[in-house]
Amino acid sequence: MEIQNIIKEKIKTVNTQLEEYMKHPDLAQNSIFNAMNYSLFAGGKRLRPIIMLLVCDMLGGDEKEVLPFACALEMIHTYSLIHDDLPAMDNDDLRRGKPTNHKVFGEAAAILAGDALLNMAFEITSSINTENPKRALRAISVLSKASGALGMIGGQVIDIESENKAISHDMLLNLHSLKTGAIIRAAGVIGAVMSGAGEDEIKAVDSYCLNLGLAFQIRDDILDVTGNEETLGKPIGSDSENHKTTFVTLFGLEKSKKAVDEYTGKAISSLSVFKEKAKELTDLANYLTNRSV
Amino acid sequence: MEIQNIIKEKIKTVNTQLEEYMKHPDLAQNSIFNAMNYSLFAGGKRLRPIIMLLVCDMLGGDEKEVLPFACALEMIHTYSLIHDDLPAMDNDDLRRGKPTNHKVFGEAAAILAGDALLNMAFEITSSINTENPKRALRAISVLSKASGALGMIGGQVIDIESENKAISHDMLLNLHSLKTGAIIRAAGVIGAVMSGAGEDEIKAVDSYCLNLGLAFQIRDDILDVTGNEETLGKPIGSDSENHKTTFVTLFGLEKSKKAVDEYTGKAISSLSVFKEKAKELTDLANYLTNRSV
């Protein structure tokens, strides 16, 4: 099957399960579910869940065991966007072409909706019905470490403190390996752990995700300069307007494009141990390298 | 031993372990640990961990298995206070007699410090070294449900939406059973689950906590009217200034005091099945009824 069609199928699987998780009785606090749903179903690319589900396929894992974690990653990704967009943080009015959460529901509701999505990631993963509680516990540990102060949140702290400052290539790599990389790596590692992979297989998947994450981030920086505002759903040039150091401001467009190819190549070769089973993840890496959104 | 001394011992145990958890290497995102530590060690009463540890003692559980969850509860409690105090929420300048987190570190850091504390609760509980991963998974499930949209966060949503509104006794009970009650119940239930208690024992402990939580909340409302600003560390009368419905505004002081006694009595009688083993938790309930801070 073509990777585009596989992606579409995985997105459908994830969205159906997310809708299932968001069902709730009629409650006095109904409004928070509206705010959570608004951002959770705002047209996210579901990249992280897709990676996790493709890792599961490659390793012959059981999708039912992996799906709660795939949905949890998307909840954590969504919460981080809601909080990042807040006036006290990046103060963004638009996200994926739509008004940001706090613009629609107000700041208090946006903060709480973010909190609730982060929290819900752990509700659904700890409620998993599994024969392997030890494996699930390890996966929750990977998930929480990736999203915490030593992972994604740490990256956001560095990002905020780096505004209007020139930062080094090393610090930029550190920032992105935490802010976006940690969760992308968790996608692969959890997919592998929950599929019963061995430690060497987990390491190979982790290396794939690490490099894929960097390629993805640099591609993002390039699109911020060269992209189409309408397709992208956010203003072009917002990075330089926010005085943010990016791969493009550090190295220019040409070198950045080369870096995307290099990291993509490294990602793909990390999977050599899986031979032809790595086809879908290889296709995904190539597909993301050439994306325009 | 007198309950005051037992409480002091438990607080020491919890604080020592919390300090252990907050150790981290020197990192680019060090500032977030400063913001987290500021509120985590701002002199909290550690009520929720104390309840959990006393439940563990009563049931002959292993304190090492329970302590990560006790610390997690305190992290979640602290994060909720940091976010509740934000300008977009209650807009409070003081907490426990000290400037609130965002007053010291700014709003962005306060939001992220709250996020990181919530997240860390799951980092430390999922990293537990246990022979009973199934039990730990259940305890994480209880923890996350208690702190989420169907628990504490749900209560905060109702609280914010009820400002400047007259609400009914039923809605006030609903609000408090979610906003403060859910986590206090989780303290007892997790303490019981991690101590290997049977379902009937878990139910008895849950009932104790449910009633103790209500007594505690009504006592809080009373102290907001009759308390000493200096001892309490926050302005007296802040509830009525914020136009919040409380047990005191609904029923007056005398009836509220009677309700504290009634709920305390119910809490204590819930533990009758444990006979003399319930002494410490009984003493705790009586101690809290008579507290002035």
Side-chain angles (χ1 to χ4, degrees):
Chain A
M1 208 191 298
E2 294 238 343
I3 188 69
Q4 287 96 320
N5 293 327
I6 294 172
I7 289 174
K8 269 184 208 152
E9 258 188 20
K10 298 297 180 196
I11 290 178
K12 212 174 145 190
T13 303
V14 170
N15 285 349
T16 304
Q17 187 60 46
L18 282 173
E19 279 164 19
E20 194 59 39
Y21 284 134
M22 294 306 293
K23 281 183 186 162
H24 60 90
D26 190 31
L27 295 163
Q29 69 268 35
N30 269 352
S31 64
I32 191 157
F33 292 98
N34 299 337
M36 292 161 81
N37 279 322
Y38 176 80
S39 293
L40 197 55
F41 298 103
K45 291 186 285 286
R46 312 297 193 213
L47 173 64
R48 294 146 190 84
I50 289 167
I51 294 171
M52 197 188 283
L53 294 177
L54 290 181
V55 168
C56 171
D57 286 352
M58 178 177 76
L59 296 167
D62 178 355
E63 193 170 87
K64 278 197 304 296
E65 297 253 312
V66 173
L67 201 48
F69 288 92
C71 291
L73 274 190
E74 198 61 19
M75 288 177 181
I76 288 178
H77 177 56
T78 304
Y79 118 76
S80 77
L81 300 181
I82 296 174
H83 281 192
D84 282 9
D85 287 338
L86 286 168
M89 306 260 213
D90 288 354
N91 195 21
D92 276 323
D93 294 347
L94 281 178
R95 164 76 61 185
R96 295 169 182 151
K98 295 168 77 173
T100 44
N101 199 289
H102 64 271
K103 282 278 159 188
V104 179
F105 299 95
E107 266 184 76
I111 294 167
L112 290 170
D115 293 348
L117 281 166
L118 169 58
N119 199 91
M120 201 167 179
F122 297 104
E123 291 175 59
I124 62 177
T125 50
S126 61
S127 305
I128 188 175
N129 190 359
T130 178
E131 300 286 299
N132 280 294
K134 203 161 184 171
R135 210 181 260 179
L137 214 50
R138 177 173 175 188
I140 296 175
S141 175
V142 172
L143 178 68
S144 57
K145 276 176 188 146
S147 59
L150 299 174
M152 185 184 71
I153 296 175
Q156 174 66 358
V157 171
I158 299 172
D159 196 16
I160 284 184
E161 292 181 351
S162 303
E163 252 176 63
N164 300 312
K165 270 189 213 167
I167 62 170
S168 69
H169 183 209
D170 278 354
M171 187 54 84
L172 188 66
L173 283 177
N174 183 28
L175 192 171
H176 288 311
S177 74
L178 295 175
K179 186 170 172 173
T180 55
I183 293 287
I184 291 177
R185 287 173 72 179
V189 171
I190 293 170
V193 166
M194 290 304 290
S195 301
E199 297 306 321
D200 282 351
E201 293 177 311
I202 294 173
K203 263 187 208 156
V205 168
D206 188 23
S207 168
Y208 167 82
C209 290
L210 172 69
N211 287 292
L212 186 79
L214 284 168
F216 186 79
Q217 183 57 52
I218 300 172
R219 185 89 195 132
D220 227 39
D221 289 352
I222 293 171
L223 286 172
D224 188 69
V225 179
T226 66
N228 178 314
E229 184 158 331
E230 217 171 300
T231 332
L232 224 54
K234 62 181 178 184
I236 296 304
S238 61
D239 287 341
S240 66
E241 239 172 66
N242 290 336
H243 304 284
K244 288 200 173 178
T245 303
T246 73
F247 286 95
V248 177
T249 64
L250 272 182
F251 300 111
L253 265 179
E254 280 319 301
K255 273 196 179 170
S256 296
K257 282 179 186 170
K258 230 176 130 182
V260 172
D261 290 337
E262 277 172 19
Y263 284 119
T264 302
K266 276 189 199 169
I268 291 169
S269 64
S270 303
L271 300 179
S272 58
V273 59
F274 302 108
K275 301 197 180 126
E276 69 275 16
K277 283 189 185 160
K279 184 181 182 306
E280 292 179 356
L281 286 169
T282 302
D283 289 351
L284 178 72
N286 285 322
Y287 175 75
L288 291 176
T289 305
N290 300 309
R291 75 197 166 97
S292 60
V293 289
Chain B
M1 209 191 300
E2 293 236 345
I3 188 69
Q4 286 96 321
N5 293 327
I6 294 172
I7 289 174
K8 270 185 206 151
E9 259 189 19
K10 299 297 181 196
I11 290 177
K12 213 175 145 189
T13 303
V14 170
N15 285 349
T16 305
Q17 188 59 46
L18 282 172
E19 279 164 19
E20 195 59 39
Y21 283 134
M22 294 307 293
K23 281 183 186 163
H24 60 90
D26 190 31
L27 295 163
Q29 68 269 34
N30 269 351
S31 64
I32 191 159
F33 292 99
N34 300 337
M36 293 162 80
N37 279 321
Y38 176 79
S39 293
L40 197 54
F41 297 104
K45 290 186 286 286
R46 313 297 192 214
L47 172 65
R48 293 147 192 83
I50 289 167
I51 293 171
M52 196 188 285
L53 294 178
L54 289 183
V55 167
C56 172
D57 286 352
M58 178 176 77
L59 296 167
D62 178 357
E63 192 168 88
K64 278 197 306 298
E65 297 252 313
V66 173
L67 202 48
F69 287 93
C71 291
L73 273 191
E74 198 60 19
M75 287 176 181
I76 288 178
H77 176 57
T78 305
Y79 119 76
S80 77
L81 299 181
I82 295 174
H83 280 194
D84 282 8
D85 286 339
L86 286 168
M89 306 258 214
D90 288 354
N91 195 20
D92 276 321
D93 293 349
L94 281 178
R95 163 77 61 185
R96 295 168 183 153
K98 296 169 76 174
T100 44
N101 198 290
H102 65 271
K103 281 278 159 191
V104 180
F105 298 96
E107 265 185 75
I111 294 168
L112 290 169
D115 293 346
L117 281 167
L118 170 58
N119 199 90
M120 201 166 179
F122 298 104
E123 292 175 58
I124 62 177
T125 50
S126 61
S127 304
I128 188 175
N129 190 358
T130 178
E131 301 285 300
N132 279 295
K134 204 163 183 169
R135 210 181 260 179
L137 215 49
R138 177 174 175 186
I140 296 174
S141 175
V142 171
L143 178 67
S144 57
K145 278 178 188 147
S147 60
L150 299 175
M152 184 183 71
I153 296 175
Q156 174 67 358
V157 171
I158 299 172
D159 196 15
I160 284 183
E161 293 182 350
S162 303
E163 253 176 61
N164 300 312
K165 270 190 215 167
I167 61 171
S168 68
H169 182 209
D170 277 354
M171 187 55 82
L172 187 67
L173 282 177
N174 183 26
L175 191 172
H176 288 311
S177 74
L178 294 175
K179 186 170 173 176
T180 55
I183 294 287
I184 291 177
R185 286 173 72 179
V189 171
I190 293 171
V193 166
M194 291 304 291
S195 301
E199 297 306 321
D200 281 352
E201 292 177 312
I202 294 173
K203 263 187 208 157
V205 168
D206 187 23
S207 168
Y208 167 83
C209 290
L210 172 69
N211 287 292
L212 187 78
L214 284 169
F216 185 80
Q217 184 57 53
I218 300 172
R219 185 88 195 133
D220 228 39
D221 290 352
I222 294 171
L223 286 172
D224 188 69
V225 179
T226 65
N228 179 313
E229 183 157 331
E230 216 170 302
T231 332
L232 223 53
K234 62 180 178 184
I236 295 304
S238 62
D239 288 339
S240 66
E241 240 172 65
N242 290 335
H243 305 284
K244 286 197 175 181
T245 303
T246 72
F247 286 94
V248 178
T249 64
L250 272 183
F251 300 112
L253 266 179
E254 280 319 300
K255 273 197 179 168
S256 296
K257 281 178 186 170
K258 228 177 133 185
V260 171
D261 290 338
E262 275 172 19
Y263 283 119
T264 302
K266 275 189 200 170
I268 291 169
S269 64
S270 303
L271 299 179
S272 59
V273 58
F274 302 108
K275 303 199 178 117
E276 69 276 15
K277 283 188 184 161
K279 182 181 184 308
E280 292 178 355
L281 285 169
T282 301
D283 289 351
L284 178 73
N286 285 322
Y287 174 75
L288 290 176
T289 304
N290 299 309
R291 74 198 166 96
S292 60
V293 289

